[in-house]
Amino acid sequence: VSGTFWRPLPAHCPTSSVDFIHYHGDADQVVPLGGRPIKDAHQGDVGAAIALLVEGGGYVATAGDSDATLRCTAYRNAADKRVELCLFDGGHMLDATHLARAWRRLMQPAAR
């Protein structure tokens, strides 16, 4: 929830693919989508981190799930694992409805 890698990004993801659903406010100033410097370090770009995960796990784009409050980009791979990046209007916050949505999505079988 509203996090990312620090720069520089790792060269690759050494683990196997995982189910991953990430929620992030599009106006987050604590962890901005494009990253930010903090003293001698730098928070990384959320989109670049998701791209690294997608590439490393062999995911391909699927239909995203968007509604009045979320804009989601979704990916699946041959192992039927999913990656989703869901953006919402607002800043750095935790919304219990996002956790409930993620739980429901992870518990439902894949649509084939």
Side-chain angles (χ1 to χ4, degrees), residues 2-110:
S2 296
T4 190
F5 289 119
W6 290 85
R7 280 193 349 200
L9 284 175
H12 66 283
C13 291
T15 62
S16 61
S17 61
V18 297
D19 283 309
F20 184 87
I21 300 176
H22 181 84
Y23 296 92
H24 208 108
D26 60 6
D28 190 335
Q29 294 302 305
V30 176
V31 183
L33 285 167
R36 72 179 174 121
I38 300 177
K39 294 190 178 189
D40 296 333
H42 199 287
Q43 287 174 332
D45 181 281
V46 172
I50 295 293
L52 176 68
L53 183 62
V54 166
E55 180 183 335
Y59 298 87
V60 296
T62 61
D65 180 31
S66 297
D67 60 27
T69 62
L70 290 174
R71 299 171 310 280
C72 300
T73 305
Y75 307 87
R76 282 225 185 244
N77 69 9
D80 206 30
K81 300 293 184 181
R82 85 177 73 216
V83 168
E84 291 183 20
L85 172 60
C86 296
L87 302 178
F88 57 88
D89 293 335
H92 193 75
M93 60 172 279
L94 176 61
D95 185 328
T97 62
H98 298 162
L99 296 176
R101 178 192 173 276
W103 182 261
R104 285 189 309 273
R105 296 207 34 95
L106 293 171
M107 294 297 105
Q108 71 187 19

